[in-house]
Amino acid sequence: MPAYQLTVNGRGRTIDADADTPLLWVLRDTLGLTGTKFGCGQGICGACTVHLDGRAVRSCQTSLKEAAEHAVLTVEGLSKDGSHPVQKAWIAEDVAQCGYCQPGMIMSAAALLKRKAHPTDHDIDEAFADHICRCGSYPRIRKAVKRAAGGVK
Amino acid sequence: MTSRRDFLKVTGAAGAGLVLGLRLEAKPRLGETVKAAFQPNAFLAIRPDGTAQITVPKVEMGQGVRTALPLVVAEELDLDWSKVEVVTAHPGPEFKAMNTGGSTSVSTTWDTLRKAGAAAREMLKAAAAAQWKVPVGQCRTENGFVLGPDRKKLGYGALAEAAARLPVPKDAPLKKAADYRLVGKRTPRIDGPAIVTGKAVFGLDVRRPGQRFAAVLRCPVPGGQPKTWDDAKAKTVRGVTAVVKVPTGLAVAADSTWAAFKGRDALAATATWDEGAAKEFSSAALEAKARAALTGPADDARREGDPAKALAAATKMLEAEYSFPYQAHVTVEPMNATTHVGADTAEMWVGSQSGNRAQERAATAMGLKAEQLKVNVPLIGGGFGRRLGTDFSTEAAQVAKAVGGGPVQVVWDREDDIRHDLHHPATLHHLRAGIDGAGALAAWTHRIAGPAVLRSWLGGQKAPSQATTEANGAYDIPYAIPAIAVDFAEVEAPTPLGWWRGIQIVPNVFARECFLDEVAHALGKDPLTFRLDLLGDRGIVKFGRDAADIRRLKRVLEVAAEKAGWGRKLPVGHGLGLACHAYDGRTYAAEVAEVSVVKGRLKVHKVTCAVDCGLAVNPAGLEAQVEGGIAFGLSALFSQITWEKGRTVQTGYHDFPVLRLGDMPLVETHVIPSAEAPSGMGEPPVPVAIPAVLNAVFAATGKRIRKVPIEDGLI
Ligand code: FES
Ligand code: FES
């Protein structure tokens, strides 16, 4: 069984697990990074969103093998202290209700704003089309993305 | 000395600062006497370093209690909000009111929390006055300090020890609402920073040393049992440590969640089932039974005047059938609980809305007494009533006991969560309206047929209040109609049922407010004027155990209509619709929806909501509840659970859709200023959203939708 190398939040990690293990469970169970959430394991809810080389991906649909040799960024690595512009905007707009879906939302927002500094409403709709918030925090997510616009390098 | 009327006392050792123990409890039931000596179950501590710690006796699931309840204390006590730390209480024999549901958290604790804050404030003032040797009347408090004459100023931390030695005042004066500086202002959620950095701990994030993970293979038909299975394959999955029979199925424990899932899947391939009593259950058969029950015997929920006579005498009668499906909760955090069984104690971490019941039942399942099981309630990734159930916590205890050896986290996957939800049942509604010779609405009947949630909840027993519970939202129809009959015809269903955000009020108000709209249109009346006229000039009206203030209901209706521009000219294809309800006679909500239907596709552009829930403790949190409640209601327009061969047809978010961001309308919330004691806001926005939208669809298209979910191409 080969061990896999990947970079998680800037730190090199060696993971000894089956190739098909979803990155989600490597993060949560092997590395104890529980900020990335499990919502469906079916690629539908977006709770498990992380960045793979800067792109938003569903960690429940990304195998360890696919993630190996790449850079993974999770919500814990977005900033040291909650100072990422998206995190700050999320606080300013008081987005979270139960909060469970929010790390995934934040990672998608950060990826979107990196791609497009000033997204349109349509861009925002698209970026969150595969995210579910059962609490209905959507109006504030939209506002927070707009507030953070232009601030993500 | 304490008497049973006391609710506050100084607890805590020297050096701890000022620690006030307070008693927060559900009101004693009628005829119940409280004999026990005073046992505090919530605490308010001012530490020597000036920080304050407040125990919250309710659980946080997104409704904002961990912010709203401490705000109430901080207000009376003039705390520096930035120095407030919040801890969630542990359910236990000493604390029996962790139950969090029914939109009651603020209303049931408000008084005690205010009084505790006020008492602590007076004690700190007295301590400062003694130190300065000035009359206490010359001292006041501000943002964590006591201020005295000659610019004297001492922080709460410095006074806490001295204050702890003083008697607890009875009836400390409460602040006037006009002096509030925290209550009524927009305060962001206290857990926000932890949530956005991923540090917040939900049940599924609990990690204990040596923890294992378990998945349970359950029969797809609720109540079914495994007949045969072969665990050999499952045991070869890397990481799997045990496969054991538990009362709900077969548990696979492993050193990671993924290994537990893989082991479970390997086991599933080998299992055969005794599918049990529910195996023939189907939605089609249930609907046929419900339709038959629409004309059979029923239990009265309300009967006024002589509806049969009034209908017979009517010059015009309208009737319609409405239908609402089974619904699931689909909280984004699936069910889970972590249990550590020791020799004669155990500990559990569970996001439960019923901490006390969860504790009792899980302890029993492990052969322990409730007090031998410590229950911790982490943050909850969505409740909506699902986590009032104790099925998942009891199962987790059974699994932990069966696999032995250290902490075990039982994780449900999305399919488990949907299939083994405590679903909210489908109902059929038959409504009739009799119009008299003068063109007035003279009779109203509403028959509801479906399974009874309350019976399922009570383990199969029929409660005396069954009909009113199942007809909630229908029997308390607020309009002045001379003859009213609302009844409930029970139809048996074999799978477990549960409460859902908005409970039975959602389907019942949907049918009621849409049918009323039909009547208005049939009479050529404007739906707003028609409702206002029917509400009439009345004050407080009693409906069974509830009483609603009709003036407050009228006011929200008027405000929502005015703010939404009711009656204004709309673009082609657009329509406005409205609905209102007095929720348990406590919270008043009206919503106006603006929709368009283009090429059969419904778009909800905007929902304008007016609410009166008494004093708004935290308007930011309240507005979030309105936005979320509307999203929940709109989502239900497109989702359903259906049954075939005893199992749900739906297995995930792919076939049980949840509203997405792109479909979320603009929401405008208008909070009616009120000095009444706060009521609740978690559920009231949900039920009115559906009829407001469907009435708007009618206004836009002339098409009356009487069946939820809206099927493709129906509009
Ligand atoms: S958990 Fe990955 S998309 Fe839902
Ligand atoms: S905040 Fe609860 S699911 Fe999004």
Side-chain angles (χ1 to χ4, degrees):
Chain A
M1 182 78 47
Y4 295 92
Q5 311 284 331
L6 57 162
T7 311
V8 179
N9 299 334
R11 200 170 140 198
R13 299 285 202 161
T14 304
I15 307 292
D16 181 15
D18 289 351
D20 67 348
T21 309
L23 175 60
L24 170 66
W25 300 112
V26 171
L27 295 170
R28 289 183 54 83
D29 294 353
T30 313
L31 300 176
L33 292 169
T34 55
T36 303
K37 306 300 186 200
F38 168 57
C40 66
Q42 299 166 321
I44 302 171
C45 75
C48 65
T49 305
V50 299
H51 295 180
L52 195 68
D53 299 330
R55 268 181 322 114
V57 299
R58 303 280 177 264
S59 65
C60 73
Q61 301 298 306
T62 307
S63 69
L64 172 59
K65 194 170 163 204
E66 288 163 328
E69 311 300 329
H70 292 283
V72 178
L73 186 74
T74 73
V75 69
E76 291 95 338
L78 203 52
S79 70
K80 277 203 181 65
D81 48 2
S83 61
H84 186 278
V86 169
Q87 290 169 317
K88 279 168 48 184
W90 241 250
I91 295 288
E93 295 295 345
D94 199 17
V95 175
Q97 291 191 34
C98 81
Y100 192 79
C101 70
Q102 302 296 341
M105 298 284 185
I106 287 171
M107 296 312 283
S108 270
L112 166 66
L113 292 172
K114 207 165 176 180
R115 235 178 334 110
K116 190 150 189 194
H118 294 279
T120 61
D121 274 320
H122 182 72
D123 296 331
I124 297 174
D125 290 353
E126 299 259 286
F128 293 94
D130 292 328
H131 279 274
I132 287 174
C133 175
R134 184 59 159 157
C135 298
S137 66
Y138 299 129
R140 295 174 185 208
I141 291 174
R142 189 186 296 283
K143 279 193 205 156
V145 171
K146 289 184 176 171
R147 178 186 278 265
V152 179
K153 302 275 158 350
Chain B
M1 271 299 289
T2 54
S3 78
R4 71 180 193 86
R5 294 192 51 232
D6 292 335
F7 71 98
L8 268 177
K9 75 172 178 187
V10 174
T11 57
L18 170 61
V19 184
L20 278 181
L22 48 144
R23 181 94 200 152
L24 285 164
E25 195 65 288
K27 281 196 200 109
R29 281 194 215 111
L30 219 58
E32 184 180 81
T33 48
V34 187
K35 279 193 226 78
F38 174 75
Q39 285 283 355
N41 53 25
F43 297 91
L44 159 60
I46 310 277
R47 300 201 191 93
D49 66 0
T51 56
Q53 194 186 64
I54 299 173
T55 317
V56 168
K58 296 283 170 184
V59 300
E60 180 63 65
M61 47 189 172
Q63 83 285 35
V65 271
R66 276 173 50 91
T67 307
L69 301 190
L71 268 178
V72 173
V73 179
E75 177 67 67
E76 284 297 339
L77 184 42
D78 273 332
L79 285 174
D80 177 349
W81 183 246
S82 68
K83 292 193 176 157
V84 172
E85 195 187 289
V86 177
V87 293
T88 302
H90 296 274
E94 242 66 89
F95 193 78
K96 299 203 180 84
M98 288 290 284
N99 198 35
T100 309
S103 307
T104 55
S105 291
V106 173
S107 59
T108 53
T109 57
W110 156 255
D111 241 8
T112 312
L113 291 174
R114 282 157 87 204
K115 287 176 183 161
R121 181 230 302 141
E122 292 309 307
M123 292 165 81
L124 289 160
K125 271 163 67 181
Q131 191 164 330
W132 294 329
K133 300 194 171 49
V134 301
V136 73
Q138 290 185 15
C139 300
R140 62 192 179 86
T141 52
E142 198 180 288
N143 211 31
F145 288 91
V146 180
L147 309 179
D150 309 322
R151 301 187 139 171
K152 286 192 176 59
K153 185 172 177 177
L154 275 172
Y156 285 179
L159 292 164
E161 285 286 317
R165 290 191 289 272
L166 298 175
V168 181
K170 296 226 180 295
D171 303 321
L174 295 172
K175 276 190 179 179
K176 287 205 255 325
D179 296 331
Y180 286 165
R181 56 179 187 97
L182 291 171
V183 166
K185 307 283 174 327
R186 307 178 64 85
T187 305
R189 288 277 307 284
I190 202 154
D191 295 311
I195 287 169
V196 304
T197 51
K199 293 194 184 95
V201 176
F202 295 85
L204 216 47
D205 302 334
V206 168
R207 294 291 180 269
R208 309 296 303 170
Q211 175 174 320
R212 283 184 293 164
F213 301 84
V216 177
L217 177 65
R218 303 174 193 82
C219 180
V221 180
Q225 283 292 325
K227 232 172 15 195
T228 61
W229 64 92
D230 177 358
D231 60 12
K233 262 240 179 69
K235 283 181 163 165
T236 63
V237 172
R238 188 182 178 198
V240 168
T241 58
V243 176
V244 290
K245 172 79 184 73
V246 291
T248 54
L250 301 166
V252 179
D255 57 15
S256 74
T257 316
W258 179 243
F261 285 167
K262 266 177 103 170
R264 190 248 344 242
D265 294 347
L267 190 62
T270 72
T272 61
W273 302 95
D274 171 1
E275 294 183 338
K279 71 176 179 206
E280 297 303 331
F281 183 46
S282 79
S283 288
L286 183 79
E287 185 173 327
K289 278 204 274 176
R291 187 155 291 110
L294 286 178
T295 48
D299 293 329
D300 274 351
R302 180 170 172 199
R303 187 163 289 270
E304 256 177 46
D306 191 337
K309 202 166 144 203
L311 280 174
T315 53
K316 183 171 180 173
M317 189 177 79
L318 295 165
E319 65 183 321
E321 183 188 297
Y322 280 79
S323 139
F324 196 83
Y326 265 79
Q327 294 283 359
H329 300 81
V330 293
T331 60
V332 183
E333 180 194 15
M335 296 306 106
N336 66 87
T338 307
T339 319
H340 189 175
V341 191
D344 49 10
T345 57
E347 189 164 5
M348 177 178 267
W349 292 260
V350 61
S352 173
Q353 290 178 250
S354 325
N356 303 100
R357 272 200 301 273
Q359 181 188 40
E360 281 156 28
R361 292 176 185 176
T364 306
M366 292 185 285
L368 299 173
K369 293 203 182 66
E371 55 270 31
Q372 292 172 293
L373 171 66
K374 180 177 181 192
V375 174
N376 308 278
V377 186
L379 290 179
I380 297 180
F384 318 120
R386 172 62 182 91
R387 287 175 157 101
L388 287 165
T390 54
D391 54 321
F392 61 101
S393 43
T394 302
E395 177 191 66
Q398 290 160 339
V399 171
K401 185 155 191 236
V403 303
V408 182
Q409 181 171 85
V410 174
V411 183
W412 293 36
D413 68 11
R414 181 52 51 199
E415 185 173 336
D416 297 329
D417 195 86
I418 289 217
R419 283 204 186 282
H420 299 279
D421 195 353
L422 303 174
H423 303 94
H424 198 267
T427 41
L428 281 184
H429 303 251
H430 179 236
L431 297 104
R432 289 177 298 173
I435 314 299
D436 68 16
L441 177 54
W444 176 274
T445 70
H446 185 168
R447 161 70 59 90
I448 302 157
V453 178
L454 188 59
R455 184 195 287 274
S456 179
W457 200 249
L458 298 176
Q461 278 175 43
K462 181 173 176 177
S465 61
Q466 178 167 290
T468 45
T469 301
E470 307 303 331
N472 196 348
Y475 85 87
D476 50 350
I477 177 171
Y479 307 109
I481 304 167
I484 295 178
V486 178
D487 51 21
F488 173 69
E490 186 179 357
V491 179
E492 259 181 68
T495 65
L497 306 172
W499 313 101
W500 186 67
R501 188 175 188 177
I503 55 171
Q504 291 87 338
I505 297 175
V506 180
N508 294 342
V509 166
F510 146 63
R512 181 193 96 195
E513 287 292 294
C514 284
F515 187 60
L516 193 85
D517 215 67
E518 293 198 47
V519 177
H521 285 289
L523 294 176
K525 299 215 172 127
D526 170 70
L528 173 66
T529 323
F530 187 58
R531 280 179 174 78
L532 290 172
D533 289 348
L534 279 175
L535 288 171
D537 273 328
R538 293 177 302 156
I540 292 173
V541 174
K542 233 177 127 31
F543 310 101
R545 62 187 172 160
D546 295 326
D549 187 337
I550 300 299
R551 290 161 297 200
R552 292 172 77 183
L553 184 59
K554 273 182 104 166
R555 178 104 176 96
V556 291
L557 194 51
E558 282 162 350
V559 169
E562 187 211 311
K563 299 290 180 183
W566 184 259
R568 80 187 135 92
K569 197 159 160 33
L570 294 166
V572 192
H574 282 235
L576 289 181
L578 57 76
C580 65
H581 183 57
Y583 198 100
D584 284 351
R586 292 187 287 120
T587 298
Y588 303 82
E591 288 168 22
V592 177
E594 178 170 352
V595 310
S596 67
V597 180
V598 177
K599 295 203 187 108
R601 196 183 127 73
L602 166 66
K603 181 157 177 65
V604 184
H605 297 270
K606 185 173 177 183
V607 177
T608 307
C609 178
V611 288
D612 176 351
C613 57
L615 183 79
V617 172
N618 182 10
L622 199 145
E623 285 167 21
Q625 289 302 299
V626 173
E627 291 156 11
I630 288 169
F632 201 90
L634 298 189
S635 220
L637 283 170
F638 300 98
S639 64
Q640 67 175 333
I641 291 292
T642 50
W643 297 88
E644 264 170 38
K645 291 198 181 330
R647 62 204 83 202
T648 65
V649 172
Q650 294 72 21
T651 56
Y653 285 127
H654 56 287
D655 49 13
F656 187 91
V658 169
L659 188 85
R660 304 296 170 112
L661 185 139
D663 294 319
M664 181 75 201
L666 281 174
V667 172
E668 193 179 288
T669 307
H670 298 276
V671 180
I672 309 293
S674 170
E676 302 277 340
S679 53
M681 208 59 226
E683 297 171 289
V686 183
V688 274
I690 294 170
V693 166
L694 295 180
N695 289 340
V697 168
F698 180 81
T701 64
K703 191 139 199 162
R704 180 58 66 183
I705 294 179
R706 301 189 184 90
K707 186 171 166 31
V708 172
I710 301 174
E711 274 154 19
D712 280 349
L714 207 74
I715 302 181

